[in-house]
Structure formats: structure tokens, C-alpha cells
Amino acid sequence: MIPPMAQVSGTRTEADNAPARRRPRRGLELVGLVIGIVAGLSIALGWLISTRGHPSGPVALSTHPPVLVRGSSAAPDPAAQDSEWVAYSDHSTCADWAGGDGVSAIRLNSSQLAWFFSDTYIGPAGPTIGFSHLSGFVHNSVVVQTTTGQGSTFVTMTGGGACTGRGRPGNAAPVVGAPPAVPGGPSDRYWEEDGIKTGGTVVKFYNHYLAGGVPFVPVGTVIATFPVSQLSSAGRGHQYGAVARPNLVPLPSYTPPAGGSPILWGAALLRAGNTVYIYGTQSPNVPVPDRRLYLARVPASQLTAFSAWRFYTGAGTWAAGQQNARPVQPPGSGLTVSSGFSVVQVGRRYWLIQAGSAVGGPDIDAYPASAPWGPFDSAAGRLLYRDPAIGLDAAHDYRIMYEARAEPALSARHTLVISYNVNSEAVTTGCVPMSVFTNTVTLPRFIAVPLAAFGDDAGAHVNSARSGAPDYPRIVPRDPSQWFDAWDYPGGCPPVPALVSVQARPGTGKVTLSWPDAGLGVRYRVYLQGPGEPGDTPVATAYADGATITGLRPGDYQAKVVPVNFKKHTGPAAEVTFTVP
């Protein structure tokens, strides 16, 4: 970790991507992250991580027991399930999941679950230090949970490289992904969707997005197949840095004639006997998340054989070829579909479950239909749960929820468990995200809804969902004037404030510069012009409100201090002249 720069030597290097610590009076500084926000309800992190290449060969491993979390959540207990993931993050190492979104679970056997995540932080992490990024950040991962007599063990699987040995951080690769087009450049993203176990195989859908920033550009869908035996064995192993390399089946990409994005398949799967219904979404106006809902079906044994799929063409009819697919919901139905949702059958009806359509809203809703192909009735929608900790304001730490999904693997005969993702759109004056301050930003949460809530009496079970207490640490209220909603600003950052002045105190061979603090998370580039100093490159980057520059020749100098946020955007500078004796 890099301490606050009370003094800076005369070296000519800039630590723009250095880890951060608390500085006096203001708090944590920049870790070197970038947040990417998909407009609307589909939120996916796009953190800027190390540009080191992912490993192409075998990874050196050490043996070490997997992380054990005491207790058990065998019954549908949302509080226990929340706590397990908090504990795993707090005890994460360079081989472990520390936080992530896109959560969904598939049961491997009576004692094991495979958890699939999209954007994933790799540990270590903690409630007061945030995510360390020492072993990188990946766009997808798998965590195998094994229930034991003492609790649960957790083993994280990546594409390799998370650790180079016990306690030796590496640079993790995603489970599903491709090398960057340019060495050291950004990689395409593969974000997980729904999946099922069929026979001895887990079949999981991933949607492919091009490398680059917001708006994320969708390309199509791939199906990943994982042998159940491989996942189960990894969950019982003792390796540092478990690796998963599934077989991939790319699906043909198709964009409807009206334009927009391709149809992205696998957002939700519904199994009815031997048939699997595959829901897809398509945005006619990219990047506006006005998603249309599409549907295909196929025998479960042929799920990965795209030629066997039949596509819903309207009025209860089906046809081969996705070019014949038509939207499930009629125009003007009033239902906006999220990128992450579920369709479940309860009794005689089918319910589409998703996070509420209000941007930053706290609700999880369900919409009924009489058949898997809908239409789903927006007017008959039911509120299943309202999270009191969610809200786009300072009092709620600008926290949002998204991608609420049913979890059959966790549910019981009379109870449906639903998972959802929580994040925060809060950034500091210097555009530092809340994930630098705490690891409770991107952890999964769970609720348990009685199946009676889906009965004929719409009001009989309002507010009947059980949940754990959302005991997040309060970050923004500590210094509310220094926090902002990233969605309020183009690019996600408030304007970098001006530096109003800078003072110089020269001495023999050195100068001590000081300036007023510009705000939480702002750092400062120091430029010098004078004997041997051309002034066009920074001599140092300071993380506090002052710096001492040594190794200076006698003569007249001009110092310029430029405030910078973590995206390297700059604000108006301040200058001062001085003479070194």
C-alpha cells in the first residue's frame, strides 16, 4: 500500500494507479478504478483493472484448505445466506471471490451448489478497506459451495492466474472470455445469464459484449457447458486458484430488421417436463434499455443444439429459425423487461419476476401469465418485496438493486428464494467509487417469498417476504457534501474542482508545496519549471494537500499543481513561483 505522500522524492514517476490508503482528514484515496454503468436497470460493472496479460499456460498452485464459513443456510434463510457471502468476502484471499453481481445458483448434488457470477472482484477485501484488486477483476467466475458439518466451504474458479502460489497475488482471467485484441488492451465481456443442470452437465448462457466503455455493445450469446464432476471435484479440492475451462457453443447472432441489438438468449430459462423455454431480450434502440422479450423452446437433451430450437412466432405458434421469432409482449403492454429476470410456474400461472422498472427503485415485482409465452400482465403485477436500504440519495448511500432472479436450488416446497444484486452509484468529488471504502457494495442478497403470495388473493400476503437486515456501513452520511450520484453526470464523474492557490516554502535543494484540499478522492500532479526542469512532465503525484520535492538546483522556479480525479480528468490548476537558494 502507498502511504499518503507527506513527502515526495525527486524521482520523476507518477503513481496514478497506486493502491490507496486513508489520508489525513479526508479518507481513502484512489485505487485506480473505472465504473461502467449500463443505462436503466441493467447495471454491470466495468472496472478498469491492471493491463497485464492473462496467463496462457499452467498456473503454479499451492495446496491450502478452502475458506470455511461457519453455520448453515440449508433452509431458506435469507439472513444466513446474506451472511455467508459477507463472511466469504471478508476472509477472501488472492484465490477467492470477494464480491460480484449477476448471481445465480445451480445445485450440483445434495451438498454442493455452483454459484455463477458476472463481474467479480478477487480478494482480499474487507468492510473498511473495500476491494484490493491485488489479483484483478474478472467479468465472470464460478464459486462452488460445499456444505459440511461445520458450515460451508467456498472455492472460487476463474480462468486461471488468480494466485501464483499461496498468498501470492496474480492476475485472474475470466472463466468465459477471450484474450484482448491488442496485448495489454481491454477484453470483451461475457456476462452470465441463466442456466440449468441436465444429466451430468451444467448448461450456462453468457452474453457477449465488445470491449470498451459505456454504452456496452452486445454481440451475441454463447453457451458454456461444465461437467458436474469437474465443478464438484473443484469444490472438494484444496487448490489455490481453481480453474474452470468449459466447452463453448457460440449461437448465431441475429438482429431483427428494425435494427438495434442482436437477440440475446438465456436471460431466463424455464423447465417444464422435458422442455426448456429460453427467454431472450432485444433492444431496438441501443443503448436505451427498451427491451423486447423473445422466446424459444427445445427438448432439454438438445439445449445446446441450436438447430433444434423452435421460436415463438405469435398466437401460440412456433417455427424453426430465429429470424421468425416475434416479441412475446404486444406493443404497448406496459411491461419493461430487465436484463436479468426469471420466469417460474406457481400453480396454474407463470410469473415473470424482476427488479422494479423504476430506475434506482427498491422493489421486486412479479407479473402473471397463463402460459410461458405470455403475455405477462403488467396491470396485475404484484409487489413481492421493497428493500428499505435502496435509494438514489445520500441517506441510502446511492444504492441500487438490479437483476432479481428466482433461485430454485435454494427454494423449498412452500417458499421461493429470490436473489438480487446491490451496488452503489456514489462517487466522491474525485470520482472514487464506494467500492474503495467497503466490500459491502457488491454482495448478493436474498429474500424468501411464500408461494401463497402468488395465489388468487393479491393482497393477502403483501410484505410477507422474509429478508436479512441490510446492515450496510453508512459511508455517504459521514461527509455528504463530498459524495455524488454518478448518474447525474456525463461519464459518471462530477467536475474536477479548481485548485484555488498553492504556497511554496523553499529550502536548500528542495521546496515544500502546500495547497487547500480540493475534495475527497482528488489527487494532484506537480509540475516544475526551472533549472533542469522543463515543466511539461509531472515530477510527482501527491495524494494529500502537500508535497516536498528534493534534489533541486539553485535558481528560480515555477510550480504548477493540477487537481486530477481517478479517470485522469483534470481541473483548473494553481501556480506559484519561488527561488531555491
Side-chain angles (χ1 to χ4, degrees), residues 99-236:
D101 66 2
V103 58
S104 63
I106 294 177
R107 182 158 293 283
L108 302 179
N109 51 56
S110 60
S111 63
Q112 290 185 301
L113 291 165
W115 294 87
F116 292 83
F117 291 89
S118 291
D119 285 341
T120 302
Y121 298 95
I122 305 299
T128 60
I129 64 171
F131 300 104
S132 70
H133 281 248
L134 292 178
S135 281
F137 175 92
V138 293
H139 291 304
N140 54 78
S141 67
V142 183
V143 178
V144 180
Q145 177 183 5
T146 304
T147 302
T148 71
Q150 298 176 303
S152 290
T153 60
F154 291 82
V155 172
T156 295
M157 305 182 77
T158 67
C163 288
T164 57
R166 180 179 177 182
R168 297 203 301 270
N171 187 43
V175 168
V176 177
V182 178
S187 299
D188 286 6
R189 299 171 173 88
Y190 291 80
W191 285 321
E192 65 93 23
E193 297 294 336
D194 207 354
I196 62 171
K197 186 180 76 167
T198 173
T201 303
V202 169
V203 180
K204 190 71 178 176
F205 284 73
Y206 289 80
N207 286 334
H208 178 193
Y209 292 80
L210 293 179
V214 179
F216 299 117
V217 179
V219 176
T221 304
V222 299
I223 299 176
T225 60
F226 301 80
V228 170
S229 58
Q230 179 196 63
L231 299 176
S232 178
S233 177
R236 300 185 189 281

Side-chain angles (χ1 to χ4, degrees), residues 10 18 38-39 72 107-108 112 135 140 154 215 237 293 337 354 394 466 501 518 522 540 559 572:
V38 176
S72 174
R107 182 158 293 283
L108 302 179
Q112 290 185 301
S135 281
N140 54 78
F154 291 82
L293 185 63
V337 181
Q354 64 176 18
R466 290 185 292 113
S501 64
V522 178

Side-chain angles (χ1 to χ4, degrees), residues 445-517:
R445 287 189 59 83
F446 303 88
I447 61 172
V449 181
L451 294 187
F454 299 94
D456 293 333
D457 187 350
H461 297 276
V462 174
N463 298 323
S464 59
R466 290 185 292 113
S467 65
D471 53 349
Y472 304 123
R474 304 303 304 279
I475 305 296
V476 173
R478 299 175 192 171
D479 202 352
S481 67
Q482 293 294 313
W483 288 92
F484 304 87
D485 179 358
W487 280 353
D488 286 343
Y489 303 94
C493 295
V496 182
L499 197 63
V500 296
S501 64
V502 59
Q503 290 78 41
R505 192 170 72 252
T508 302
K510 66 178 183 178
V511 65
T512 296
L513 303 172
S514 59
W515 50 83
D517 191 344

Side-chain angles (χ1 to χ4, degrees), residues 35-37 43-45 47 101 121 131 360 389-402 421-428 432-443 472-473 475-477 483-487 492:
I35 184 169
I37 305 168
I43 311 301
L45 301 179
W47 303 105
D101 66 2
Y121 298 95
F131 300 104
I390 299 299
L392 276 173
D393 53 46
H396 293 89
D397 280 337
Y398 299 101
R399 291 182 187 266
I400 58 173
M401 70 152 56
Y402 55 104
N421 302 293
V422 172
N423 209 328
S424 172
E425 295 307 314
V427 292
T428 69
V432 180
M434 191 176 290
S435 61
V436 174
F437 294 78
T438 177
N439 65 337
T440 64
V441 176
T442 315
L443 298 176
Y472 304 123
I475 305 296
V476 173
W483 288 92
F484 304 87
D485 179 358
W487 280 353

